[in-house]
């Protein structure tokens, strides 16, 4: 097993958030709900990157921020209709907000 850190993002409706994350290139891996009507907890993956999307109120606060390093930020930017910026430290980056207000900074480092 490879060790990894998996950020947890708070979402109001995980099923509604999934299409946004799929647009970003993530694929649902699994979901869990303790009982019908209880909050949903979902894992999504993009290659080796994993995120947990949680409807549980105590898991995370809305308006969090995570940084995703990707191979081609310009392709991601085009998919969302925004332009990547060249940052002074060399990376090209964008910042997106998911439907629940979580911020995702996405960048490609200088080669």
């Amino acid at each position: 097993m490879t060790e990894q850190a998996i950020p947890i993002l708070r979402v109001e409706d995980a099923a509604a958030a999934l299409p946004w994350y799929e647009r970003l290139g993530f694929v649902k891996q699994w979901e869990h709900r303790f009982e019908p009507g209880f909050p949903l907890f979902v894992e999504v993956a993009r290659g080796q990157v994993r995120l947990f999307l949680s409807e549980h109120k105590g898991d995370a606060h809305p308006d969090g921020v995570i940084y995703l390093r990707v191979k081609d930020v310009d392709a991601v930017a085009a998919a969302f209709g925004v332009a990547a910026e060249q940052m002074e430290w060399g990376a090209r980056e964008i910042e997106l907000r998911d439907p629940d207000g979580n911020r995702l900074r996405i960048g490609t480092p200088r080669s």
Side-chain angles (χ1 to χ4, degrees):
M1 183 191 117
T2 303
E3 293 181 353
Q4 58 185 210
I6 303 175
I8 300 173
L9 297 175
R10 172 78 171 90
V11 295
E12 283 294 320
D13 182 344
L18 277 172
W20 191 89
Y21 282 91
E22 289 168 348
R23 187 173 166 205
L24 189 55
F26 285 88
V27 176
K28 182 172 87 169
Q29 301 299 295
W30 52 265
E31 65 180 48
H32 178 266
R33 191 185 302 264
F34 285 104
E35 292 183 26
F38 277 42
L40 187 60
F41 192 91
V42 178
E43 179 182 326
V44 295
R46 177 188 162 121
Q48 296 299 310
V49 176
R50 302 279 190 261
L51 298 175
F52 290 151
L53 306 178
S54 178
E55 294 177 358
H56 295 267
K57 294 195 185 312
D59 280 348
H61 297 282
D63 194 37
V65 62
I66 62 171
Y67 191 92
L68 298 176
R69 186 171 284 156
V70 299
K71 291 180 184 176
D72 186 359
V73 70
D74 291 302
V76 175
F80 284 85
V82 298
E85 288 184 52
Q86 184 66 46
M87 308 310 280
E88 63 184 62
W89 51 87
R92 292 184 55 70
E93 294 184 357
I94 60 173
E95 183 169 300
L96 301 174
R97 283 191 180 266
D98 76 5
D100 293 284
N102 295 299
R103 294 173 293 148
L104 289 89
R105 291 190 188 135
I106 304 165
T108 300
R110 183 182 340 181
S111 9

